[in-house]
């Protein structure tokens, strides 16, 4: 069992930045496959960004959705068991509840929410025009 807790959301204006955080319980953070998803009202949950360990957890491969590529950056602090999502140049289309997802082991389907076994309750991001 892994406890997942997101934080850092808020209300901002278009063009502003936010940094989301996701903390997880346990001692295996460095080998976890992690991802950010988001869901807006009336829409399906969609992949935002992911981080997956390779080469014995010495190298991490990051993946981004096309909708946010170039504006967002995913990173992780293994010592603090924390995943980050730096969000820049926010626009109203980014308004959604952002969720942190956790998977044990690597996968070829990082963008598929079905492969993640643990989820946080999300943190709300609202971007005004």
């Amino acid at each position: 069992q892994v406890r997942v807790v997101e934080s850092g959301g808020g209300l901002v204006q278009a063009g502003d930045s936010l940094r989301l955080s996701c903390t997880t319980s346990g001692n295996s953070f460095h080998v976890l496959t992690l991802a950010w998803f988001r869901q807006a009202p009336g829409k399906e949950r969609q992949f935002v960004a992911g981080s997956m360990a390779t080469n014995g957890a010495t190298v991490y491969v990051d993946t981004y959705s096309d909708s946010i590529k170039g504006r967002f950056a995913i990173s992780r602090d293994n010592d603090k068991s924390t995943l980050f999502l730096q969000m820049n140049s926010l626009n109203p289309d980014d308004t959604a509840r952002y969720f942190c997802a956790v998977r044990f082991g690597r996968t070829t389907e990082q963008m598929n929410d079905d492969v993640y076994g643990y989820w946080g309750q999300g943190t709300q991001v609202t971007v005004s025009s």
Side-chain angles (χ1 to χ4, degrees):
Q1 185 79 293
V2 177
R3 186 188 180 198
V4 184
V5 180
E6 304 96 335
S7 62
L11 173 63
V12 298
Q13 294 182 326
D16 285 353
S17 298
L18 281 174
R19 190 191 192 197
L20 306 183
S21 298
C22 169
T23 60
T24 68
S25 62
N27 299 316
S28 302
F29 184 86
H30 62 291
V31 297
L32 296 176
T33 294
L34 304 165
W36 289 99
F37 288 80
R38 67 186 183 185
Q39 186 169 27
K43 297 184 178 180
E44 292 189 6
R45 186 166 56 192
Q46 64 177 190
F47 176 83
V48 178
S51 173
M52 185 169 67
T54 63
N55 193 30
T58 59
V59 178
Y60 294 89
V61 178
D62 299 335
T63 303
Y64 297 94
S65 68
D66 291 337
S67 63
I68 59 87
K69 190 175 297 184
R71 299 188 296 118
F72 293 5
I74 191 170
S75 62
R76 58 201 291 165
D77 186 335
N78 291 334
D79 292 335
K80 297 180 179 180
S81 297
T82 302
L83 178 74
F84 301 100
L85 183 68
Q86 179 66 46
M87 305 186 294
N88 300 320
S89 301
L90 287 164
N91 60 66
D93 290 336
D94 297 317
T95 295
R97 192 163 188 85
Y98 285 71
F99 298 89
C100 180
V102 177
R103 170 187 170 84
F104 282 90
R106 286 173 280 186
T107 178
T108 59
E109 301 180 81
Q110 285 190 75
M111 298 183 181
N112 182 359
D113 57 5
D114 287 339
V115 308
Y116 297 91
Y118 303 93
W119 296 80
Q121 292 187 322
T123 183
Q124 180 68 33
V125 172
T126 302
V127 185
S128 63
S129 301

